[in-house]
Amino acid sequence: MNLKGRDFLKLLDFTPEEIGHLIHRAAELKAQKKAGVSHEIHKGKNVALIFEKTSTRTRCAFEVAARDLGMGVTYLDPSGSQIGKKESIADTARVLGRMYDGIEYRGFGQTIVEELAKYAPVPVWNGLTDEFHPTQILADFLTIREHLGKLRGINFVYMGDARFNMGNSLMVGCAKMGLNFTACAPKEYFPDQNLIDICNKIAAETGATLRFETDPVKATKNADVIYTDVWVSMGEPVAVWEQRIRDLGPYQVNKALMDNAGPQCRFMHCLPAYHDLNTAVGKEMGEKFGRTAMEVTDEVFESAQSIVFDEAENRMHTIKAVMAETL
């Protein structure tokens, strides 16, 4: 399968076969790294990483993956680029496209990364936008396949705010790859209806099912995977914490929900997670609202059913696969 020159902006742009190919390639590259087999297949090339929103996992994954492939890396943090400020997105794309072999963007609206891709003469990769987070889903699916042996037919439940990048991308990914997707949240936290309609059409072809449930007990019965994310995303005001805790508190992933799903169930989270009070934000909000944890309890996060750190590692292997194949 030839993906050379392709942008990686959202999973809607790729067929199930292409997504499966990237996951398979990631597994191959992971095995090579574990065996100490060099794979500098893009030695001499260079990539630019534009981060308007900072990140631990995404930055480290792209940097290590690029260097494993033999490439040089330039990291541009929020103060290191004039994109959209003193220089237009189109001009930035054309300048960087003359100097680099690929461009990663992590930031705000999906329209920004789409415009970068429109004008850049090299592949552009979406490291996260407000609407989509496609590299995370590849890591999630590689992890599910490693632990559960398959993707098709897996009962996948997303708990919490399903309106933004993670809820959107997981729903798209499940529809494409034949997983049974359930979003569990108050109705006002469900994904956009237009995207639901698109995913239902895809699911009709792949055998996936989409379900939207407000009752956590009904949603998690017989779940193979329970997945959640932070209730307040990067860039949102502190003032929204009170409402999110009030609305999403009943959707916290705890031992009772995991037990309701069954012993086969695995817990996943894209990280960072507020599972204790050992972060500045977690401590501040926990003390303010009288909670020891937010979206997931520490008991679940640290349990044998939790596969969050395998998932985090797989960010690097799947991102490596995207760069290896599109370059």
Side-chain angles (χ1 to χ4, degrees), residues 175-209:
K176 288 274 186 178
M177 302 307 290
L179 290 78
N180 301 317
F181 176 82
T182 299
C184 183
K187 288 183 179 179
E188 60 270 26
Y189 288 86
F190 288 166
D192 178 75
Q193 187 59 50
N194 288 334
L195 185 59
I196 291 174
D197 293 342
I198 292 170
C199 288
N200 270 319
K201 291 179 181 178
I202 297 169
E205 299 177 358
T206 65
T209 62

Side-chain angles (χ1 to χ4, degrees), residues 2 34 56 63 90 96 131 141-142 172 181 208 237 269 292 316:
N2 185 6
K34 297 292 184 184
T56 301
E63 289 196 356
L96 295 181
E131 294 90 344
F141 285 2
L142 175 60
V172 171
F181 176 82
H269 193 304
T292 57
M316 189 270 289

Side-chain angles (χ1 to χ4, degrees), residues 23 30 57 135-151 154-160 166 170 174 179 220 223-231 251-254 258 261 264-275 295-297 300-315 318:
I23 295 169
K30 182 176 182 177
R57 275 150 305 282
T135 60
Q136 178 67 52
I137 309 315
L138 292 183
D140 296 339
F141 285 2
L142 175 60
T143 309
I144 291 170
R145 198 181 74 171
E146 289 174 340
H147 282 268
L148 300 177
K150 64 178 184 177
L151 292 176
I154 289 293
N155 295 322
F156 185 102
V157 180
Y158 181 80
M159 302 287 296
M166 283 310 304
L170 285 166
C174 287
L179 290 78
T220 56
D224 296 307
V225 175
I226 296 178
Y227 196 117
T228 193
D229 190 10
V230 293
W231 291 339
Y251 299 88
Q252 181 191 66
V253 181
N254 52 40
M258 296 299 292
Q264 80 292 338
C265 188
R266 297 294 179 263
F267 171 72
M268 300 181 74
H269 193 304
C270 54
L271 303 182
Y274 295 124
H275 59 99
E295 71 277 5
V296 59
T297 62
V300 170
F301 188 87
E302 298 291 356
S303 72
Q305 290 174 285
S306 174
I307 54 176
V308 297
F309 294 109
D310 291 342
E311 183 185 359
E313 177 191 338
N314 282 338
R315 290 298 309 284
T318 46

